[in-house]
Amino acid sequence: KHAYAANFSAALGGSAELNEQERQYVAQKGTVTVAVPSDWHPMICLNNDDTHDGLVPNILAKVSDYSGLEFSYLYCDSYVEAIQMVQRGEADMLGFFFGTEEEAIDKGLALTMPYVEMDSILVRNKKSSYPATGLTGAILDGREMPNDIIADDIKYYADVADALMDVNSGDVDFFYGTSPIQEYIIQQNNLTNVVQVNLINETMDIGFAVSIPVPPELFTIINKAINSMSDDEKAAISSQNIVSIGTTKM
């Protein structure tokens, strides 16, 4: 799945300590810039009233403890803008990438090892049926609609809330995306004309992303740090941040 990360982690073997080159990189670099949308439950929640900081800051705090690197955030208006910032070289790293290894490579990005697994769900208007013909599906700008999600037309939205409002009003038939943010927005906005569709095996690994050609020291440091975290540690960070109306497992 994560070919770049897999190659690096295979090369690591059992040792996860920073080598001399990586230590020099940390000393010279100091602070790594991370492009993120300004407010995105449960990934980045520093700019809202949520009682948690978000997965990205919590994971990067562990990376800092492990490596000595510091991280600062470059806030963007949308997910696609955050991707573009990394593509243009204005940020060192993307806080999270939604999609496959192939989709990342198509965008000139390489994925690190994943730090969380998240369910994807489809939310449709109550009057639309799914699957059906003639449907207009919506997805986040910067993402690709998976081949197994059936839509005659696809509309791209910079903002998930706007997309779900349009599903609620019937302007589009459904929105496909990660479960926690959809459940959060539906709850916050009391959207009553939408219903979740159960999808089978729709989980996605989410990691950081850097531009290709990969900055080798940064990439290996991030992968070593994620590798050094136990599954229990990652699960604890995940459960602190994923506040759900039901359970995120459909």
PDB file of all heavy atoms in Angstrom, residues 77-95:
ATOM      1  N   ASP A  77      -7.311  27.301   3.576  1.00  0.00           N
ATOM      2  CA  ASP A  77      -8.780  27.390   3.555  1.00  0.00           C
ATOM      3  C   ASP A  77      -9.431  26.057   3.222  1.00  0.00           C
ATOM      4  O   ASP A  77     -10.607  25.860   3.494  1.00  0.00           O
ATOM      5  CB  ASP A  77      -9.250  28.438   2.537  1.00  0.00           C
ATOM      6  CG  ASP A  77      -8.903  29.853   2.995  1.00  0.00           C
ATOM      7  OD1 ASP A  77      -8.770  30.059   4.218  1.00  0.00           O
ATOM      8  OD2 ASP A  77      -8.753  30.739   2.130  1.00  0.00           O
ATOM      9  N   SER A  78      -8.674  25.153   2.595  1.00  0.00           N
ATOM     10  CA  SER A  78      -9.273  23.884   2.179  1.00  0.00           C
ATOM     11  C   SER A  78      -8.208  22.795   2.125  1.00  0.00           C
ATOM     12  O   SER A  78      -7.002  23.080   2.157  1.00  0.00           O
ATOM     13  CB  SER A  78      -9.916  24.034   0.801  1.00  0.00           C
ATOM     14  OG  SER A  78      -8.913  24.300  -0.173  1.00  0.00           O
ATOM     15  N   TYR A  79      -8.680  21.576   2.015  1.00  0.00           N
ATOM     16  CA  TYR A  79      -7.794  20.413   1.887  1.00  0.00           C
ATOM     17  C   TYR A  79      -6.968  20.502   0.610  1.00  0.00           C
ATOM     18  O   TYR A  79      -5.749  20.282   0.622  1.00  0.00           O
ATOM     19  CB  TYR A  79      -8.653  19.136   1.896  1.00  0.00           C
ATOM     20  CG  TYR A  79      -7.919  17.861   1.582  1.00  0.00           C
ATOM     21  CD1 TYR A  79      -6.981  17.331   2.464  1.00  0.00           C
ATOM     22  CD2 TYR A  79      -8.179  17.169   0.392  1.00  0.00           C
ATOM     23  CE1 TYR A  79      -6.311  16.138   2.170  1.00  0.00           C
ATOM     24  CE2 TYR A  79      -7.527  15.973   0.105  1.00  0.00           C
ATOM     25  CZ  TYR A  79      -6.597  15.474   0.997  1.00  0.00           C
ATOM     26  OH  TYR A  79      -5.945  14.300   0.706  1.00  0.00           O
ATOM     27  N   VAL A  80      -7.607  20.852  -0.510  1.00  0.00           N
ATOM     28  CA  VAL A  80      -6.896  20.905  -1.794  1.00  0.00           C
ATOM     29  C   VAL A  80      -5.820  21.991  -1.765  1.00  0.00           C
ATOM     30  O   VAL A  80      -4.729  21.822  -2.330  1.00  0.00           O
ATOM     31  CB  VAL A  80      -7.874  21.071  -2.991  1.00  0.00           C
ATOM     32  CG1 VAL A  80      -8.467  22.469  -3.065  1.00  0.00           C
ATOM     33  CG2 VAL A  80      -7.179  20.722  -4.310  1.00  0.00           C
ATOM     34  N   GLU A  81      -6.078  23.076  -1.057  1.00  0.00           N
ATOM     35  CA  GLU A  81      -5.085  24.152  -0.932  1.00  0.00           C
ATOM     36  C   GLU A  81      -3.864  23.668  -0.141  1.00  0.00           C
ATOM     37  O   GLU A  81      -2.722  24.025  -0.464  1.00  0.00           O
ATOM     38  CB  GLU A  81      -5.718  25.371  -0.255  1.00  0.00           C
ATOM     39  CG  GLU A  81      -4.900  26.639  -0.380  1.00  0.00           C
ATOM     40  CD  GLU A  81      -5.531  27.803   0.365  1.00  0.00           C
ATOM     41  OE1 GLU A  81      -6.679  28.170   0.038  1.00  0.00           O
ATOM     42  OE2 GLU A  81      -4.882  28.343   1.281  1.00  0.00           O
ATOM     43  N   ALA A  82      -4.116  22.840   0.869  1.00  0.00           N
ATOM     44  CA  ALA A  82      -3.001  22.279   1.657  1.00  0.00           C
ATOM     45  C   ALA A  82      -2.127  21.381   0.773  1.00  0.00           C
ATOM     46  O   ALA A  82      -0.894  21.438   0.836  1.00  0.00           O
ATOM     47  CB  ALA A  82      -3.538  21.506   2.862  1.00  0.00           C
ATOM     48  N   ILE A  83      -2.775  20.570  -0.070  1.00  0.00           N
ATOM     49  CA  ILE A  83      -2.029  19.722  -1.017  1.00  0.00           C
ATOM     50  C   ILE A  83      -1.166  20.583  -1.943  1.00  0.00           C
ATOM     51  O   ILE A  83       0.026  20.320  -2.135  1.00  0.00           O
ATOM     52  CB  ILE A  83      -2.995  18.851  -1.861  1.00  0.00           C
ATOM     53  CG1 ILE A  83      -3.663  17.788  -0.998  1.00  0.00           C
ATOM     54  CG2 ILE A  83      -2.258  18.206  -3.042  1.00  0.00           C
ATOM     55  CD1 ILE A  83      -4.726  16.975  -1.715  1.00  0.00           C
ATOM     56  N   GLN A  84      -1.784  21.645  -2.475  1.00  0.00           N
ATOM     57  CA  GLN A  84      -1.078  22.511  -3.433  1.00  0.00           C
ATOM     58  C   GLN A  84       0.123  23.200  -2.783  1.00  0.00           C
ATOM     59  O   GLN A  84       1.158  23.400  -3.421  1.00  0.00           O
ATOM     60  CB  GLN A  84      -2.042  23.540  -4.025  1.00  0.00           C
ATOM     61  CG  GLN A  84      -3.049  22.909  -4.976  1.00  0.00           C
ATOM     62  CD  GLN A  84      -4.271  23.782  -5.237  1.00  0.00           C
ATOM     63  OE1 GLN A  84      -4.466  24.823  -4.590  1.00  0.00           O
ATOM     64  NE2 GLN A  84      -5.108  23.358  -6.167  1.00  0.00           N
ATOM     65  N   MET A  85      -0.015  23.537  -1.508  1.00  0.00           N
ATOM     66  CA  MET A  85       1.079  24.186  -0.784  1.00  0.00           C
ATOM     67  C   MET A  85       2.316  23.278  -0.729  1.00  0.00           C
ATOM     68  O   MET A  85       3.445  23.728  -0.898  1.00  0.00           O
ATOM     69  CB  MET A  85       0.601  24.522   0.624  1.00  0.00           C
ATOM     70  CG  MET A  85       1.306  25.691   1.228  1.00  0.00           C
ATOM     71  SD  MET A  85       0.374  26.276   2.663  1.00  0.00           S
ATOM     72  CE  MET A  85       0.860  27.986   2.603  1.00  0.00           C
ATOM     73  N   VAL A  86       2.078  21.979  -0.499  1.00  0.00           N
ATOM     74  CA  VAL A  86       3.184  21.012  -0.462  1.00  0.00           C
ATOM     75  C   VAL A  86       3.735  20.809  -1.876  1.00  0.00           C
ATOM     76  O   VAL A  86       4.954  20.774  -2.080  1.00  0.00           O
ATOM     77  CB  VAL A  86       2.724  19.662   0.155  1.00  0.00           C
ATOM     78  CG1 VAL A  86       3.855  18.642   0.133  1.00  0.00           C
ATOM     79  CG2 VAL A  86       2.244  19.883   1.595  1.00  0.00           C
ATOM     80  N   GLN A  87       2.849  20.718  -2.861  1.00  0.00           N
ATOM     81  CA  GLN A  87       3.283  20.541  -4.253  1.00  0.00           C
ATOM     82  C   GLN A  87       4.177  21.692  -4.714  1.00  0.00           C
ATOM     83  O   GLN A  87       5.142  21.482  -5.454  1.00  0.00           O
ATOM     84  CB  GLN A  87       2.064  20.432  -5.188  1.00  0.00           C
ATOM     85  CG  GLN A  87       1.302  19.120  -5.060  1.00  0.00           C
ATOM     86  CD  GLN A  87      -0.021  19.158  -5.819  1.00  0.00           C
ATOM     87  OE1 GLN A  87      -0.658  20.206  -5.949  1.00  0.00           O
ATOM     88  NE2 GLN A  87      -0.443  18.015  -6.324  1.00  0.00           N
ATOM     89  N   ARG A  88       3.857  22.904  -4.257  1.00  0.00           N
ATOM     90  CA  ARG A  88       4.641  24.089  -4.660  1.00  0.00           C
ATOM     91  C   ARG A  88       5.910  24.272  -3.829  1.00  0.00           C
ATOM     92  O   ARG A  88       6.677  25.196  -4.061  1.00  0.00           O
ATOM     93  CB  ARG A  88       3.773  25.353  -4.528  1.00  0.00           C
ATOM     94  CG  ARG A  88       2.648  25.457  -5.531  1.00  0.00           C
ATOM     95  CD  ARG A  88       2.062  26.870  -5.563  1.00  0.00           C
ATOM     96  NE  ARG A  88       1.541  27.280  -4.274  1.00  0.00           N
ATOM     97  CZ  ARG A  88       0.247  27.235  -3.923  1.00  0.00           C
ATOM     98  NH1 ARG A  88      -0.650  26.773  -4.777  1.00  0.00           N
ATOM     99  NH2 ARG A  88      -0.139  27.647  -2.731  1.00  0.00           N
ATOM    100  N   GLY A  89       6.094  23.413  -2.835  1.00  0.00           N
ATOM    101  CA  GLY A  89       7.292  23.525  -2.001  1.00  0.00           C
ATOM    102  C   GLY A  89       7.195  24.593  -0.926  1.00  0.00           C
ATOM    103  O   GLY A  89       8.198  24.975  -0.323  1.00  0.00           O
ATOM    104  N   GLU A  90       5.975  25.085  -0.649  1.00  0.00           N
ATOM    105  CA  GLU A  90       5.796  26.132   0.366  1.00  0.00           C
ATOM    106  C   GLU A  90       5.623  25.545   1.769  1.00  0.00           C
ATOM    107  O   GLU A  90       5.690  26.267   2.760  1.00  0.00           O
ATOM    108  CB  GLU A  90       4.580  27.003   0.010  1.00  0.00           C
ATOM    109  CG  GLU A  90       4.798  27.823  -1.253  1.00  0.00           C
ATOM    110  CD  GLU A  90       3.506  28.378  -1.827  1.00  0.00           C
ATOM    111  OE1 GLU A  90       2.481  28.390  -1.114  1.00  0.00           O
ATOM    112  OE2 GLU A  90       3.522  28.782  -3.008  1.00  0.00           O
ATOM    113  N   ALA A  91       5.371  24.241   1.829  1.00  0.00           N
ATOM    114  CA  ALA A  91       5.300  23.537   3.118  1.00  0.00           C
ATOM    115  C   ALA A  91       6.115  22.257   2.987  1.00  0.00           C
ATOM    116  O   ALA A  91       6.193  21.676   1.908  1.00  0.00           O
ATOM    117  CB  ALA A  91       3.850  23.210   3.488  1.00  0.00           C
ATOM    118  N   ASP A  92       6.730  21.822   4.089  1.00  0.00           N
ATOM    119  CA  ASP A  92       7.558  20.619   4.061  1.00  0.00           C
ATOM    120  C   ASP A  92       6.713  19.354   3.972  1.00  0.00           C
ATOM    121  O   ASP A  92       7.155  18.347   3.429  1.00  0.00           O
ATOM    122  CB  ASP A  92       8.409  20.525   5.343  1.00  0.00           C
ATOM    123  CG  ASP A  92       9.407  21.669   5.440  1.00  0.00           C
ATOM    124  OD1 ASP A  92      10.077  21.954   4.431  1.00  0.00           O
ATOM    125  OD2 ASP A  92       9.512  22.273   6.531  1.00  0.00           O
ATOM    126  N   MET A  93       5.504  19.419   4.522  1.00  0.00           N
ATOM    127  CA  MET A  93       4.747  18.181   4.716  1.00  0.00           C
ATOM    128  C   MET A  93       3.250  18.477   4.754  1.00  0.00           C
ATOM    129  O   MET A  93       2.831  19.559   5.174  1.00  0.00           O
ATOM    130  CB  MET A  93       5.203  17.581   6.059  1.00  0.00           C
ATOM    131  CG  MET A  93       4.766  16.195   6.338  1.00  0.00           C
ATOM    132  SD  MET A  93       5.740  15.478   7.691  1.00  0.00           S
ATOM    133  CE  MET A  93       4.858  16.059   9.124  1.00  0.00           C
ATOM    134  N   LEU A  94       2.455  17.502   4.307  1.00  0.00           N
ATOM    135  CA  LEU A  94       0.994  17.585   4.389  1.00  0.00           C
ATOM    136  C   LEU A  94       0.549  16.851   5.646  1.00  0.00           C
ATOM    137  O   LEU A  94       0.990  15.727   5.902  1.00  0.00           O
ATOM    138  CB  LEU A  94       0.380  16.934   3.142  1.00  0.00           C
ATOM    139  CG  LEU A  94      -1.136  16.974   2.968  1.00  0.00           C
ATOM    140  CD1 LEU A  94      -1.638  18.401   2.780  1.00  0.00           C
ATOM    141  CD2 LEU A  94      -1.559  16.112   1.777  1.00  0.00           C
ATOM    142  N   GLY A  95      -0.315  17.478   6.433  1.00  0.00           N
ATOM    143  CA  GLY A  95      -0.734  16.891   7.710  1.00  0.00           C
ATOM    144  C   GLY A  95      -1.484  15.581   7.568  1.00  0.00           C
ATOM    145  O   GLY A  95      -1.392  14.713   8.441  1.00  0.00           O
TER     146      GLY A  95
END
